[in-house]
Amino acid sequence: MTVAVQKTPTPQRTGNEEPPTPARRAPTVSRSMIVAAILVVWLVLFAVLRGKQTLSLAAADLTDLHRWFNDVNDSIGANRNSNPLFLYFFNEIRLVIDTLVTFVQELISQPTAGRPVPQIGWLGVVGIVGYVSWAVGNWRVALLAVAGFTFLGLQGLWQESMDTLALTLSAVFVALLFALPLGVWAGLSDRFNRVVTPFLDFMQTMPTFVYLAPLTLFFLIGPASATIATAIYAAPPAIRITAHAIRSVPETTVEAADSMGATRRQALLKVLLPMSKRTVVMGVNQTIMAALAMVTIAALINAPGLGATVVQALQSLDVGTAFNAGLAIVVMAIVLDRVTTAASVRADTARGSDSPLLKWRRQLVVAGGVAAAVLVYLSHTYLWAAEFPGEGGTGSTIAKAATDVTTWAQDNLSGLTNAFRDVLTNGLLNPFQTLLTDSPWWLVGAALVALGTVLGGWRAGATSAVCVGLLIGTGVWSDAMTTLASTAVATVLVMLLGVVLGVWMGRSALVDRLLRPSLDAAQVMPPFVYLVPFLALFGATRFTAIVAAIVYAAPVAIKIIADGVRAVPGTTVEAAMSTGCNTWQIITKVQLPMSRGALTLATNQGLIYVLSMVVVGGLVGAGALGYDVVAGFSQGQLYGKGLAAGLAIVLLGVMFDRITQAAARRAGA
Amino acid sequence: MARHWRAGAAGLAVLGLTLTACGGAKVGDDSAAGSGSSGKCGTFNLAINPWVGYEANAAVLAYVAEHDLGCKVEQKDLKEEIAWQGFGTGEVDAVVENWGHDDLKKKYITDQKTAVEAGLTGNKGLIGWYVPPWLAKAHPDITDWKNLNKYASKFKTSESGGKGQLLDGDPSYVTNDEALVKNLKLDFKVVYAGSETALIQAYRNAEKNKQWVIGYFYEPQWFLSEVPLKKVSLPEYKEGCDADAEKVACDYPVYELDKIVSAKFAKSGSPAYDLVKNFTWTNEDQNTVAKYIAVDKMAPEAAAKKWVEANRDKVDAWIK
């Protein structure tokens, strides 16, 4: 559900680690000894106190807090037609956004008044996409974009894709309208940055299921709610990355501008913004990716498009159709990603180069614009250019192939996968979960705070204490501990994969080129698509949820670690080789220790990504917080409990984020 | 330079004109499009709750409303709770397969008065515990709840903590299973699969690979035409035996599935309302259409067309 949030900043963060000096080894060892001691004490007390004060709560039971949330929800629903806040505020927002989405939809996806087709047909859209990609990027991405969009038509999903595109564009537009100014502000003011960061964390970790139902309460069913849900989810990366971009403009440049007498406004408009343009475009890129990731979730409140196809196919367990639509989302994401990336690079390179074509650029741009306009006119006027020709045969071929592969895997692998599941569940997950859920709450809480303090310092310890306290307050402590166990196991597996594949990719450019597209696809493919095959392979169990989380979270960890390994200076590696180290020694003694910062960051991101899949896990047998959230979305009387469970997920996320980040700073310092 | 640019533009213009000349059918040539929906019916907002049986009801109703009454049907994919919310705001006109939901009825029909009942669908909803057919065949006595403890250890999984596993599905289902397990003193643990998809996949695997699975399921359901699950009999339902949720020790009642419409829609005089109100059919009818959609992978509209054409008499009774 979340898409690579930290993609751009990572190289900077991981690039400048220094080799650990022997002097610093001593405290590391003693720290791991303290950790071991804490664990031993915990185990001993667990053996004595097992099953007492576990704060468990049955599936249908509620606490006072949950009932209070329910009451608030009900009173909003009952008073929405008389409350001035609704009449003059929410309804107005809704009207504006509805108008925006409907306008874009009538332009490219939905028939408009009196016309059986939208204003711009497929040929026009492909023409515009190709032209814009070329104008902001280069001819190679333009070719990719044209091919990609044509492929969507061949899949038989043209209209669905355009609905998705319309919703994505509107949501990104709304998100950027707020995100860019806020990002600039956060980049200029440290205080505002500190204030806004917790809100951004909250927006990104709060499961979208939790706010879908309230959103329909505020903004009614329809495109406005779907757009706002998507915008809320997609805005944080743009805010963060814009702030980061403003901050990373070299101080000397700003000082130079100051010394020349530039006002604050001039410095911002003429120096800071132009110099951070490239990174800001990357922020836009991340926002688009996040918006596309919301497409399937928003389909649950009647957002039209590819998400609806995926969700409907899932009801009849039609893997092929779901995969076909999921693939369309991936293709659209790849096109939009490559085009915006090319645009961000162009911002830098265009100025310096003087290729012969550049002279002609202005003329070419105008000519291209005319050509695109002609295509738009044709697609507005003629049916053959408005409706995508053909029956979408490619789509049904893809759907059939996906079904065949899935059936084969289910028939031939399920014995193997079930054995694997049982070994890991019984050997690792169950004991760990028992330890967390059957220990008294105060023991687990104390252990978490102690571990936080040892690993991340006093500040992280204090944060853990607050989070533990609030977790108890949510009333879903026991479920939170069950979720914590699965999350921890998933993260361990993510890191194993991350280290193996990350090191491999970091050491070989060829492997990197081969693996990266699949990693991108794994991140963008809606999880709903692969749930059915996983259910067949692993059953409705916690383990299925863990596997789904790994598919989603491992790519981030792998990419970060690969970057970290690549950033190890070549001279250091050569020096190690000259002293006679073999490959294994170079990896374990040089490259991994030197990318320790990247490893901790990968753990951090891996954990956050795994947590964002908790709700999806609830759909396939993971129970606990994920189930609570889904139940809150489905049943009125469980609404409050679902909200509390959502908050618990956020608290777990904040706790781990603070601990791992503090630990990363220590490792890097 | 300017000459080049003019030449280019002229070239493009020529290209454009040529393309235009070879033309083809123009948008709007076929004036039939759009005129079909000009009856007095107007727009009919139909909620689509996420299960195939519901989709079957909705598909047939939408088809008839569109083709016989000339309505413009807006189908909206929504979960139950949210669909009911839409009654008050005019976003939803009808929910056409409702399972119980006394809490929602109280909230929206009794308290907020935004919704009204529109009669039964004719479908009988059975909820209960089901086992795959191979298991019922191999151990015929398993379909009596009294024998379940005998087999409990066979139903053990990695999720059930040493007891037998009773698999429950989507959180929006009506379920007393935790109380039932406790009050019938069964050595089972309720495990929540979390979605209907997960539940169906579990039964599908179980039948294919001869695995031991027992869980919650319901009829009418398209999946039963693929794998005819066998119902386990629980202590007989008697009026009021499920009054106290904590103490339930009896089977689920037979649900008379019904239709709910918004109060506004009921008063609107729209022919679509009369259609919804008169609509009734049998479990077999619904299973037929649901099978067209889920197993034969027909589009809902095509499935509805096929059924309507074969059952014209029933349809005519709804719109007489």
Side-chain angles (χ1 to χ4, degrees):
Chain A
M1 278 187 266
T2 327
V3 162
V5 174
Q6 301 279 14
K7 218 157 139 195
T8 7
T10 41
Q12 286 94 325
R13 274 207 218 164
T14 57
N16 40 22
E17 257 82 63
E18 281 170 25
T21 50
R24 225 180 298 128
R25 290 239 146 183
T28 320
V29 171
S30 75
R31 204 180 296 156
S32 57
M33 276 166 68
I34 302 175
V35 170
I38 294 172
L39 293 178
V40 169
V41 173
W42 185 0
L43 282 172
V44 171
L45 286 175
F46 165 74
V48 183
L49 298 164
R50 184 170 183 172
K52 289 181 190 133
Q53 293 165 313
T54 56
L55 298 182
S56 64
L57 190 70
D61 288 353
L62 301 177
T63 69
D64 289 340
L65 177 76
H66 305 160
R67 288 197 193 91
W68 183 74
F69 283 144
N70 281 348
D71 292 344
V72 172
N73 187 34
D74 287 350
S75 69
I76 292 175
N79 298 323
R80 73 175 314 287
N81 282 329
S82 52
N83 191 327
L85 193 62
F86 274 100
L87 293 178
Y88 301 108
F89 183 69
F90 291 121
N91 289 2
E92 298 297 323
I93 296 182
R94 168 173 178 270
L95 207 64
V96 171
I97 294 184
D98 252 349
T99 315
L100 171 71
V101 186
T102 316
F103 171 74
V104 183
Q105 276 186 321
E106 289 184 349
L107 217 52
I108 58 174
S109 68
Q110 295 288 342
T112 65
R115 287 169 60 84
V117 288
Q119 297 289 349
I120 304 178
W122 73 271
L123 192 64
V125 173
V126 169
I128 294 174
V129 165
Y131 171 64
V132 171
S133 310
W134 172 75
V136 304
N138 53 52
W139 64 268
R140 253 170 309 185
V141 294
L143 214 60
L144 174 82
V146 168
F149 271 66
T150 312
F151 180 69
L152 298 178
L154 294 175
Q155 280 185 293
L157 293 169
W158 180 259
Q159 202 205 337
E160 289 87 343
S161 305
M162 287 307 105
D163 268 327
T164 294
L165 185 66
L167 190 76
T168 309
L169 290 180
S170 317
V172 168
F173 176 74
V174 173
L176 292 181
L177 216 55
F178 296 98
L180 292 183
L182 287 177
V184 171
W185 190 4
L188 294 174
S189 150
D190 282 333
R191 183 189 294 176
F192 181 69
N193 195 37
R194 268 199 304 276
V195 171
V196 83
T197 304
F199 285 102
L200 298 182
D201 292 346
F202 186 82
M203 283 158 81
Q204 283 188 295
T205 11
M206 189 64 156
T208 37
F209 270 82
V210 174
Y211 57 80
L212 275 187
L215 270 179
T216 60
L217 209 59
F218 285 109
F219 299 107
L220 305 187
I221 299 153
S225 288
T227 310
I228 293 169
T230 312
I232 292 178
Y233 181 71
I239 301 179
R240 281 187 213 267
I241 295 175
T242 307
H244 172 80
I246 299 274
R247 272 164 203 282
S248 30
V249 171
E251 232 164 80
T252 47
T253 323
V254 184
E255 277 163 15
D258 280 345
S259 71
M260 281 156 69
T263 61
R264 265 184 77 93
R265 190 187 152 79
Q266 282 171 329
L268 179 66
L269 290 179
K270 306 270 175 200
V271 181
L272 286 172
L273 283 182
M275 286 196 68
S276 48
K277 200 155 86 186
R278 179 184 161 194
T279 318
V280 171
V281 179
M282 288 310 298
V284 175
N285 168 304
Q286 288 301 303
T287 293
I288 296 176
M289 295 297 110
L292 269 176
M294 266 293 284
V295 162
T296 35
I297 310 278
L300 296 173
I301 50 171
N302 196 38
L306 296 166
T309 313
V310 171
V311 170
Q312 266 163 19
L314 197 69
Q315 277 163 34
S316 50
L317 287 78
D318 186 351
V319 182
T321 305
F323 180 79
N324 191 38
L327 187 65
I329 297 177
V330 172
V331 167
M332 194 180 287
I334 288 179
V335 167
L336 295 177
D337 175 62
R338 298 299 187 266
V339 170
T340 42
T341 309
S344 80
V345 176
R346 172 165 204 100
D348 270 6
T349 53
R351 228 169 295 124
S353 91
D354 55 10
S355 93
L357 269 179
L358 205 65
K359 234 176 10 188
W360 293 97
R361 185 166 169 81
R362 179 167 298 177
Q363 282 84 342
L364 284 170
V365 167
V366 173
V370 172
V374 169
L375 293 181
V376 168
Y377 168 75
L378 289 176
S379 75
H380 179 78
T381 316
Y382 294 102
L383 270 182
W384 60 267
E387 284 173 340
F388 200 90
E391 297 290 307
T394 321
S396 47
T397 316
I398 293 171
K400 194 178 168 312
T403 310
D404 290 348
V405 170
T406 320
T407 315
W408 179 87
Q410 287 169 9
D411 290 348
N412 293 286
L413 301 179
S414 64
L416 202 70
T417 49
N418 283 334
F420 182 63
R421 172 197 73 199
D422 287 344
V423 167
L424 267 173
T425 306
N426 294 325
L428 189 62
L429 182 58
N430 281 345
F432 191 43
Q433 183 175 324
T434 315
L435 180 66
L436 281 167
T437 54
D438 287 9
S439 298
W441 62 268
W442 49 267
L443 178 58
V444 183
L448 286 176
V449 175
L451 287 173
T453 313
V454 174
L455 295 174
W458 288 111
R459 201 176 275 238
T463 314
S464 313
V466 173
C467 288
V468 166
L470 290 172
L471 269 176
I472 294 164
T474 59
V476 288
W477 171 263
S478 179
D479 282 351
M481 290 304 109
T482 310
T483 294
L484 175 55
S486 307
T487 312
V489 170
T491 310
V492 168
L493 296 174
V494 163
M495 287 310 290
L496 274 177
L497 264 177
V499 169
V500 172
L501 292 179
V503 168
W504 198 22
M505 269 172 75
R507 291 172 57 86
S508 152
L510 178 68
V511 175
D512 189 285
R513 254 205 309 281
L514 290 177
L515 277 183
R516 211 165 268 266
S518 341
L519 297 183
D520 290 347
Q523 274 186 290
V524 187
M525 181 63 89
F528 281 30
V529 172
Y530 47 78
L531 288 186
V532 172
F534 283 4
L535 279 168
L537 291 175
F538 303 104
T541 61
R542 285 162 294 158
F543 193 74
T544 306
I546 291 178
V547 178
I550 291 173
V551 170
Y552 183 62
V556 195
I558 295 171
K559 285 181 194 170
I560 294 176
I561 293 174
D563 280 339
V565 168
R566 203 169 305 118
V568 173
T571 46
T572 320
V573 177
E574 274 163 31
M577 262 152 77
S578 68
T579 59
C581 287
N582 60 26
T583 310
W584 176 249
Q585 283 169 325
I586 288 178
I587 293 173
T588 55
K589 302 271 186 252
V590 181
Q591 287 177 320
L592 278 181
M594 284 187 70
S595 40
R596 206 163 57 193
L599 286 176
T600 345
L601 182 66
T603 318
N604 173 295
Q605 289 294 295
L607 242 169
I608 303 286
Y609 275 54
V610 166
L611 270 177
S612 72
M613 283 288 283
V614 163
V615 174
V616 172
L619 296 172
V620 289
L625 292 183
Y627 182 87
D628 293 340
V629 170
V630 180
F633 178 59
S634 316
Q635 279 201 40
Q637 72 268 33
L638 292 178
Y639 169 77
K641 193 179 188 185
L643 184 55
L647 289 172
I649 294 175
V650 174
L651 289 167
L652 287 176
V654 169
M655 183 160 77
F656 285 112
D657 180 65
R658 294 301 178 269
I659 295 176
T660 44
Q661 284 209 9
R665 269 196 298 277
R666 284 189 163 193
Chain B
M1 224 200 286
R3 216 182 315 137
H4 279 278
W5 133 241
R6 249 179 252 134
L12 275 169
V14 172
L15 175 77
L17 288 173
T18 335
L19 280 170
T20 320
C22 66
K26 281 190 177 180
V27 170
D29 275 356
D30 177 16
S31 54
S35 66
S37 54
S38 58
K40 63 181 169 111
C41 174
T43 306
F44 170 33
N45 294 303
L46 182 57
I48 311 289
N49 290 171
W51 60 89
V52 181
Y54 185 108
E55 222 176 291
N57 285 20
V60 169
L61 278 168
Y63 183 84
V64 175
E66 229 160 46
H67 290 86
D68 292 308
L69 306 177
C71 306
K72 183 175 185 302
V73 183
E74 293 268 1
Q75 306 199 19
K76 302 188 173 177
D77 297 305
L78 300 165
K79 282 225 174 197
E80 297 103 299
E81 169 78 18
I82 295 179
W84 286 64
Q85 245 180 42
F87 287 142
T89 56
E91 305 262 284
V92 172
D93 290 333
V95 165
V96 294
E97 182 178 293
N98 171 56
W99 287 69
H101 283 303
D102 290 331
D103 55 325
L104 293 178
K105 282 189 174 169
K106 183 178 173 303
K107 187 163 158 187
Y108 292 99
I109 296 180
T110 318
D111 295 349
Q112 296 189 13
K113 300 194 176 21
T114 53
V116 293
E117 294 178 338
L120 304 177
T121 66
N123 293 139
K124 301 257 180 293
L126 292 181
I127 293 178
W129 296 354
Y130 289 76
V131 291
W134 79 267
L135 188 56
K137 206 168 163 207
H139 303 275
D141 62 337
I142 208 165
T143 55
D144 185 349
W145 71 273
K146 291 190 193 92
N147 301 317
L148 283 179
N149 270 343
K150 192 168 80 184
Y151 296 108
S153 63
K154 293 279 197 183
F155 290 108
K156 243 190 278 183
T157 70
S158 62
E159 308 301 296
S160 60
K163 298 176 172 180
Q165 168 179 290
L166 181 73
L167 199 61
D168 261 40
D170 188 281
S172 49
Y173 293 165
V174 179
T175 169
N176 303 325
D177 288 355
E178 282 197 34
L180 278 169
V181 165
K182 198 166 108 216
N183 298 331
L184 297 175
K185 300 193 174 48
L186 295 176
D187 192 19
F188 278 77
K189 183 184 173 201
V190 179
V191 171
Y192 292 92
S195 59
E196 181 174 294
T197 310
L199 202 55
I200 291 179
Q201 188 67 46
Y203 277 120
R204 191 181 265 175
N205 284 355
E207 178 61 12
K208 200 181 209 169
N209 306 322
K210 304 262 177 295
Q211 288 161 346
W212 287 70
V213 166
I214 181 168
Y216 181 104
F217 214 69
Y218 66 90
E219 303 174 41
Q221 228 291 354
W222 65 270
F223 179 65
L224 297 177
S225 62
E226 181 188 321
V227 178
L229 302 176
K230 291 281 170 293
K231 195 166 182 297
V232 175
S233 63
L234 291 167
E236 202 187 334
Y237 175 82
K238 290 198 187 69
E239 188 70 37
C241 72
D242 56 355
D244 184 348
E246 298 278 307
K247 298 198 180 103
V248 178
C250 61
D251 208 342
Y252 292 86
V254 175
Y255 286 87
E256 304 277 356
L257 306 187
D258 61 350
K259 299 156 286 184
I260 312 290
V261 296
S262 87
K264 233 180 282 166
F265 181 60
K267 286 191 218 100
S268 68
S270 160
Y273 169 68
D274 295 323
L275 170 66
V276 171
K277 194 160 183 291
N278 295 334
F279 167 82
T280 57
W281 63 355
T282 64
N283 279 14
E284 277 102 288
D285 290 330
Q286 192 196 70
N287 282 341
T288 310
V289 179
K291 182 180 161 290
Y292 291 156
I293 297 174
V295 183
D296 307 340
K297 304 211 187 309
M298 291 168 73
E301 201 190 352
K305 183 167 189 270
K306 187 169 170 186
W307 186 88
V308 167
E309 276 165 9
N311 295 276
R312 199 64 235 182
D313 49 328
K314 288 189 185 176
V315 175
D316 286 339
W318 303 337
I319 53 174
K320 60 178 182 275

